[in-house]
């Protein structure tokens, strides 16, 4: 019912947990933990289905399609609520408590590990829910149910790795849940290892916990580490950081003295690149790696295949002179597109985005993933080339330029803009 992380394999525990299990078995630094496997999710799914429709015929169908018993456009939401609110089986609740006691009952990270997540063709970056700073059996149980329910959430509909149109058959859907010790990271980031050993390792890093980098809420420092150990770096202004305070995650201002200071030195960048090479060797190909440094030691938090090639090394971010009012930022996804700018500052603006619009926003968090399936291009004020927004843009083949200061204030809603995701430029019509 509970699988030690060291024993996790993709077939029963999903791509995320399976990859980390393989790295643990290879002796690499992965925080210890355990997995609630697919079997537990499937049992919960069948129980929720029977609550919705007690038809005895369901007993002969191990994974019934929810359209059968709910109907209508809201059928996925019905299933999501049912799975997310139904109490877990007593045996599973007891097993979760014992597994947490075995770790010493620390604060933990509770993360999705779905059957179609972290594959070689689609990362499903930000598609499902994960939770940090979770403490206690009751809170962990709630987080596990929330991860299960996110398999049917609004971000997954129509996604190749999720439920609904465009996704796999419902019988093929499954959600394992990974529970690991929470690391109070001093520095976190993302690293891409190259397919060609002659190409550099790309690293992005910022202060505090990793969601700031992967979610694109900060523009991180960027490092390029060549095979000979030489390092090229671009230091960004890092205004905020995310940290755990008890059972809460708190965003705070970075002290002025640290905003323009590199978060890691060249030696640490080389160390991380070496770790990336070991991960790629174990996993058999180039990897997208989330990492953290806690207690002065590097840790691997996630490793998945790189699904789309990166743009060239980014040009310096910043706005061009007024005489040539083209905005510049970090090239996030190759290509050029022209379309109407749609300024989006929050969830209330989502309904205003239409196919063909260029999404212009402060940053994109996982809740914004559906917009990236209809937008023609993306411009953000913060974020790096290894953030979720950039990864999803590359998977969808839409141009993206990231880290463009004051893009939402400079560009006009509805005005025509041209986004060059290869050069990292954004130009308004008539300039």
């Amino acid at each position: 019912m509970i699988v030690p992380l060291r024993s996790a394999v993709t077939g029963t525990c999903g791509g995320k947990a399976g990859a980390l299990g393989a790295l643990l078995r290879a002796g690499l630094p992965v925080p210890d933990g355990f997995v609630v496997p697919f079997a537990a999710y499937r049992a919960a799914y069948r129980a929720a289905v029977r609550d919705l429709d007690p038809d005895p015929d369901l007993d002969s169908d191990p994974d019934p399609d929810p359209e059968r018993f709910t109907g209508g456009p809201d059928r996925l939401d019905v299933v999501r609520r049912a799975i997310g609110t139904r109490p877990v089986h007593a045996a599973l609740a007891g097993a979760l408590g014992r597994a947490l006691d075995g770790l010493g009952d620390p604060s933990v990270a509770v993360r999705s590990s779905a059957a179609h997540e972290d594959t070689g063709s689609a990362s499903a970056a930000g598609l499902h829910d994960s939770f940090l700073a979770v403490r206690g059996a009751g809170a962990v149980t709630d987080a596990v149910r929330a991860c299960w329910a996110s398999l049917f959430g609004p971000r997954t509909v129509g996604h190749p790795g999720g439920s609904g149109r465009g996704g796999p058959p419902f019988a093929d859907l499954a959600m394992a849940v990974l529970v690991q010790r929470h690391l109070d990271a001093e520095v976190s980031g993302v690293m891409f290892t190259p397919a060609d050993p002659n190409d550099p390792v790309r690293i992005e890093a910022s202060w505090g916990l990793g969601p700031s980098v992967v979610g694109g809420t900060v523009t991180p420092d960027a490092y390029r580490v060549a095979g000979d150990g030489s390092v090229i770096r671009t230091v960004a202004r890092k205004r905020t950081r995310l940290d755990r305070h008890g059972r809460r995650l708190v965003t705070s201002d970075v002290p002025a003295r640290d905003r323009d200071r590199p978060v890691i030195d060249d030696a640490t960048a080389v160390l991380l690149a070496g770790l990336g090479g070991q991960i790629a060797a174990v996993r058999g190909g180039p990897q997208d790696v989330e990492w953290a440094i806690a207690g002065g030691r590097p840790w691997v938090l996630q490793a998945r295949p790189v699904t789309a090639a990166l743009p060239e090394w980014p040009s310096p971010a910043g706005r061009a002179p007024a005489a040539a009012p083209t905005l510049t930022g970090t090239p996030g996804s190759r290509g050029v597109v022209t379309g109407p700018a749609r300024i989006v500052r929050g969830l209330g603006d989502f309904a205003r985005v239409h196919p063909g619009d260029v999404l212009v926003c402060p940053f994109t968090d996982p809740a914004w993933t559906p917009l990236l399936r209809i937008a023609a291009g993306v411009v953000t004020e913060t974020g790096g080339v290894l953030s979720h927004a950039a990864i999803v843009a590359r998977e969808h083949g839409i141009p993206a330029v990231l880290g463009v200061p004051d893009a939402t204030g400079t560009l006009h809603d509805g005005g025509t803009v041209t986004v060059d995701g290869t050069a990292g430029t954004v130009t308004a019509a008539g300039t």
Side-chain angles (χ1 to χ4, degrees), residues 309-362:
L310 293 173
E312 296 301 317
W313 180 246
S315 59
R319 187 174 178 179
T326 292
L327 307 182
T328 62
T330 301
S333 180
R334 293 185 180 95
V336 179
V337 69
T338 298
R342 193 62 60 210
I343 309 299
V344 175
R345 294 187 173 88
L347 297 175
D349 295 325
F350 279 21
R352 299 174 49 249
V353 180
H354 303 288
D357 285 352
V358 173
L359 178 63
V360 181
C361 52

Side-chain angles (χ1 to χ4, degrees), residues 190-194 196-204 222-227 230-232 269-270 272-277 287 310 313 386:
V190 182
M191 167 170 54
F192 272 39
T193 68
D196 185 338
N198 294 317
D199 290 339
V201 175
R202 301 275 288 270
I203 300 172
E204 292 184 343
Y223 300 78
R224 184 172 62 174
V225 183
S230 61
V231 179
I232 299 175
V270 172
L272 286 168
L275 181 60
Q287 296 289 295
L310 293 173
W313 180 246
L386 309 185

Side-chain angles (χ1 to χ4, degrees), residues 283-321:
R283 299 297 297 150
Q287 296 289 295
D288 166 359
V289 178
E290 293 181 21
W291 56 269
I293 295 176
R297 180 185 180 188
W299 295 89
V300 181
L301 305 181
Q302 182 168 317
R304 61 188 174 201
V306 173
T307 54
L310 293 173
E312 296 301 317
W313 180 246
S315 59
R319 187 174 178 179

